Amino acid sequence: MLSKRILLIASVASCVHAFSFNVNSQTHNANNADISRRQAIATTFGLSALIAQSQTANAIAKPPSEEDLKRIKVGYDQIQYLLQNFEQETTTCRENGGECKRDAEPIRRVLGLRSTTDPLFQIDKVFARVKYMDVDPDKLDDFFAASEDWTSAMTMSNSMAFISQFGEYNPGGGKDEVLKYLNESKKQVETAAQCLRVIMDTLDIKYD
């Protein structure tokens, strides 16, 4: 962090020096007034960009908040509920005793893939900031492995869930094909849940 600040200060100083030199030299040459103005504007934009980059870096280099950690627990609980009630949660029926169909959307929802309000929406960004927390060093290898496995399981589950929605309409498809891909998606959700347990162990987040 200190080295980044030193580099930022050096960059700002360089820009200021360049600007000062250009202004001083151009006072002797009125024909270069337009160039001076352009360079001044460019320098201003350069300083603004450096400051913005510094602010962004500082925002990223913060540990997860309490609210971030709660999101992990809430998301895990939602996944567990889905797994325990999988058939019920992934079945939708029309009103008045109409036809029932299997629906993969609840899977995508608990994985944080449906809405920005889902607890696990872009949760990988929270995982990336764990390195700024004071955690047991002996658990970090398992944590980073679980984070990578989470991403893989989430991606695969999402793919299987998506395919299942069209399994009935594909050539040679039908309800059995829908169920096949739905169950494959469920297996990946189970893997994702295991990854979250490792992550919560590292972060001392209690779960049932």
Side-chain angles (χ1 to χ4, degrees):
M1 181 59 66
L2 180 58
S3 62
K4 289 182 178 179
R5 291 179 179 174
I6 293 173
L7 287 173
L8 175 61
I9 293 171
S11 298
V12 171
S14 177
C15 289
V16 171
H17 174 73
F19 174 65
S20 300
F21 174 81
N22 288 328
V23 170
N24 290 334
S25 63
Q26 288 158 6
T27 56
H28 300 291
N29 192 344
N31 292 332
N32 290 331
D34 289 341
I35 297 176
S36 177
R37 282 193 293 272
R38 288 197 296 270
Q39 290 176 332
I41 293 172
T43 301
T44 301
F45 277 118
L47 291 172
S48 299
L50 286 170
I51 293 171
Q53 290 174 2
S54 175
Q55 292 173 339
T56 301
N58 288 335
I60 294 174
K62 290 181 180 179
S65 65
E66 286 296 325
E67 191 62 32
D68 290 330
L69 299 181
K70 287 180 182 177
R71 287 172 53 200
I72 299 174
K73 175 62 167 60
V74 172
Y76 174 78
D77 289 343
Q78 290 184 355
I79 287 178
Q80 287 299 101
Y81 181 83
L82 173 68
L83 291 173
Q84 293 166 8
N85 304 274
F86 191 75
E87 184 172 355
Q88 170 188 318
E89 291 298 305
T90 58
T91 301
T92 57
C93 300
R94 293 181 179 177
E95 296 180 358
N96 302 320
E99 182 184 8
C100 294
K101 290 186 176 182
R102 301 302 295 270
D103 181 14
E105 285 305 287
I107 296 175
R108 302 182 69 236
R109 189 178 305 117
V110 299
L111 294 176
L113 299 169
R114 288 293 298 152
S115 170
T116 58
T117 60
D118 294 335
L120 296 180
F121 176 73
Q122 294 186 349
I123 201 65
D124 54 309
K125 292 184 178 180
V126 176
F127 298 159
R129 302 206 312 273
V130 166
K131 60 187 176 182
Y132 300 110
M133 294 179 64
D134 184 16
V135 298
D136 185 349
D138 293 334
K139 294 182 177 181
L140 284 179
D141 285 344
D142 289 340
F143 169 81
F144 288 121
S147 299
E148 293 178 1
D149 291 343
W150 156 266
T151 300
S152 298
M154 178 190 64
T155 301
M156 184 61 69
S157 181
N158 184 39
S159 297
M160 295 296 101
F162 181 81
I163 294 172
S164 74
Q165 299 297 85
F166 301 95
E168 192 171 352
Y169 308 104
N170 291 333
K175 292 184 178 180
D176 290 343
E177 199 72 5
V178 172
L179 187 58
K180 169 188 172 182
Y181 286 106
L182 204 59
N183 285 332
E184 288 298 321
S185 182
K186 179 185 177 182
K187 290 178 183 178
Q188 295 300 320
V189 174
E190 291 170 343
T191 299
Q194 294 172 0
C195 295
L196 284 185
R197 283 195 289 272
V198 174
I199 289 168
M200 289 191 290
D201 283 339
T202 303
L203 304 179
D204 292 326
I205 299 174
K206 305 301 181 184
Y207 58 89
D208 298 329

